[in-house]
DNA sequence: TCTTGACGCTACACAATATGTAGCATTATG
DNA sequence: CATAATGCTACATATTGTGTAGCGTCAAGA
């Protein structure tokens, strides 16, 4: 499964519509989690892996490769971090946190 | 892999933090797509399947089951549709569309 | 009362992906 | 040199998804 650029056809869609490309990559296991954990700042491979409950390095590497290709994450001295675009996306993901808290309350009013 | 309620421990996380539950389910293949397609209004199983590029019915059913358990989707006469909570979430997803369009332009300035 | 068709699935064999552990190659440090 | 940290890769096993067939229920028409 290779990440495709938006504008190109993608698994599960014949449109190549950018949002489909995004959903395709976010819908892979661990991608959302990785983006979420990078909010802690630039992290090296092993630290990021630790934050992600010791995800298999095979998968972590595959996801990081995709995220780099899609210019959501970069890799420099010191480790992995958001690009500007990735930071924008992560700000969107951050809003899911508050939403999920409210959602959880209505699900488990306990 | 069963969907767990927020507040309960979840695959890939020891916190049970609600946003992790959300990322867990959104990170399964097809979940984002299914939520996206439901923006067309209430759809029956076969129509929804058609919108999702004829996804395997096995997976569609599994995802719908999870989404119903998490009260993001309901199933009534006429088919599947968002709950109020699901509609809130889908509004968040809708903003990804515009974002992805801009992102695509910077990726492929063509 | 017999089709016929729509619908919501389930079964199942096969294919693709993820997991988990080991460990290699490179670089820096003592 | 030896040691340790880092960024991975290899690989066998386990989990998940795919794709096709088709079943059971219901409702409408002949």
């Amino acid at each position: 499964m290779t990440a495709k650029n938006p504008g190109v056809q993608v698994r599960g869609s014949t449109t190549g519509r950018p949002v489909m490309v995004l959903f395709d990559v976010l819908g892979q296991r661990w991608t959302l989690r990785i983006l979420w954990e990078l909010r802690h700042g630039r992290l090296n491979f092993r630290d990021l892996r630790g934050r992600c409950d010791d995800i298999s390095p095979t998968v972590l590497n595959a996801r990081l490769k995709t995220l780099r290709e899609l210019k959501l994450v970069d890799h420099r001295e010191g480790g992995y971090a958001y690009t500007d675009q990735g930071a924008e996306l992560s700000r969107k993901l951050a809003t899911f946190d508050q939403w999920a808290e409210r959602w959880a309350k209505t699900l488990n009013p306990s």
Side-chain angles (χ1 to χ4, degrees), chain A:
Chain A
M1 206 282 320
T2 3
K4 324 277 194 328
N5 278 348
V8 170
Q9 288 207 358
V10 98
R11 176 192 74 200
S13 173
T14 49
T15 63
R17 193 171 172 178
V19 73
M20 291 300 177
V21 178
L22 184 63
F23 285 171
D24 191 55
V25 59
L26 295 184
Q28 286 186 281
R29 197 159 296 163
W30 293 108
T31 303
L32 283 164
R33 176 68 178 274
I34 290 165
L35 286 172
W36 176 253
E37 296 299 342
L38 283 175
R39 78 193 185 287
H40 293 107
R42 192 169 291 272
L43 290 173
N44 69 31
F45 191 92
R46 288 181 185 220
D47 288 345
L48 180 52
R49 189 175 170 230
R51 293 254 184 209
C52 294
D53 295 310
D54 281 323
I55 174 183
S56 141
T58 315
V59 176
L60 178 55
N61 188 44
R63 295 297 177 271
L64 287 172
K65 183 164 180 255
T66 299
L67 291 171
R68 270 179 287 163
E69 285 169 359
L70 296 178
K71 304 238 201 296
L72 296 173
V73 160
D74 70 9
H75 185 205
R76 295 201 224 131
E77 179 69 26
Y80 294 89
Y82 301 128
T83 59
D84 289 346
Q85 310 250 30
E88 274 183 33
L89 188 58
S90 94
R91 257 169 263 136
K92 285 185 173 293
L93 294 180
T95 73
F96 280 65
D97 189 37
Q98 304 126 43
W99 180 85
E101 290 290 342
R102 278 181 284 122
W103 167 60
K105 274 183 198 126
T106 69
L107 264 187
N108 287 328
S110 54

